[in-house]
Amino acid sequence: INAEYMGQMVEGTYVWQDREVRFDVSLAQLQPRKGEILVDSINAVEDTKGNNGDKGNLMITNMRIIWFNDNDQKVNLSVGFDCIISVEIKSAESRLKGNCQALHMKTKCNQSRYEFIFTSLVNNSPRLFTSFQAVVRSYETTKLYRDLRLRTAIIQDKMLMLLPQEKVYN
C-alpha cells in the first residue's frame, strides 16, 4: 500500500473505491463497501473509448462510477471520484449509436492518466449527464467530511484521536 494511503485503513480495510481507477476487478470489488451508497443505475450505456460497441450498465455511487459489460461482467471498470481531473460533454462516435453526445472524463491515478467516454444509448436522455454531474459536485463539496468518516477513527477508547499535523489548543 502506498504510504500516502497508510492512514486510510478503516477497521483493517483499505478504502480505495474513491481514490483509484481499476479495470476488470472481481465482482466482489464492484459491490458497495460500508458507507458507499448507490445513487443511480443506468442501463444501456456504452464505454465508447474502451469497449466501443459493447452495451453495459453504469452505476453511480457516492464514491465512484462503475461500468460493466452486459454480456460479460468480468469486463468492467471502477473510477474513483477523487481521480477525476475534468468532465465534459462532447461528441463521440459510438458503434451502437453513431455520432452523439457523450460524457468525456479525464482521470489520473498514481502516475497514470486515463480517458473514459460513456455514451447513453437511450435517445434524448440527459440522465447520464445530470446524475453524474450532480453526484461529482456533491463529492467535491464534502471531501473533508467524507475523509473523516471513511478514513479515520475520530474517537478511540473515549479519547479524541488527532490526525497527522493536528493540534489541540485550550
Side-chain angles (χ1 to χ4, degrees):
I1 296 174
N2 186 328
E4 175 184 344
Y5 300 123
M6 286 299 285
Q8 299 171 10
M9 301 293 278
V10 176
E11 299 169 5
T13 304
Y14 173 59
V15 181
W16 60 268
Q17 286 81 355
D18 66 330
R19 302 259 170 140
E20 292 186 14
V21 174
R22 292 190 178 183
F23 299 92
D24 303 331
V25 299
S26 70
L27 296 181
Q29 290 182 341
L30 293 180
Q31 299 303 312
R33 65 170 283 32
K34 184 179 178 184
E36 185 175 16
I37 300 164
L38 180 63
V39 176
D40 202 356
S41 180
I42 305 170
N43 298 324
V45 174
E46 177 186 55
D47 173 13
T48 308
K49 176 94 177 187
N51 295 286
N52 201 339
D54 292 343
K55 187 169 88 167
N57 284 291
L58 189 81
M59 297 189 306
I60 302 170
T61 76
N62 59 329
M63 299 175 74
R64 60 184 167 155
I65 189 169
I66 300 166
W67 180 88
F68 60 87
N69 187 313
D70 278 349
N71 296 324
D72 183 4
Q73 290 187 357
K74 291 178 184 174
V75 177
N76 61 63
L77 58 97
S78 171
V79 180
F81 289 150
D82 199 54
C83 299
I84 296 173
I85 298 170
S86 68
V87 177
E88 295 179 276
I89 298 171
K90 299 192 311 188
S91 292
E93 189 63 35
S94 162
R95 284 188 189 153
L96 298 176
K97 196 172 178 184
N99 196 321
C100 57
Q101 292 292 96
L103 181 70
H104 287 242
M105 186 169 48
K106 292 183 180 177
T107 64
K108 181 179 179 186
C109 180
N110 298 323
Q111 305 307 321
S112 301
R113 292 180 181 266
Y114 305 99
E115 180 180 14
F116 300 96
I117 302 173
F118 296 104
T119 304
S120 175
L121 301 175
V122 178
N123 287 328
N124 301 319
S125 176
R127 188 168 152 210
L128 170 64
F129 311 124
T130 56
S131 289
F132 179 74
Q133 288 173 322
V135 174
V136 168
R137 191 174 306 116
S138 175
Y139 176 88
E140 289 172 350
T141 58
T142 59
K143 273 187 179 178
L144 180 59
Y145 172 76
R146 187 182 32 272
D147 282 349
L148 285 173
R149 294 282 297 163
L150 288 175
R151 294 186 173 79
T152 61
I154 298 172
I155 300 192
Q156 187 176 23
D157 297 326
K158 298 184 181 181
M159 296 292 296
L160 178 66
M161 300 299 298
L162 297 178
L163 298 173
Q165 316 249 330
E166 189 174 35
K167 297 176 183 173
V168 175
Y169 295 94
N170 291 328

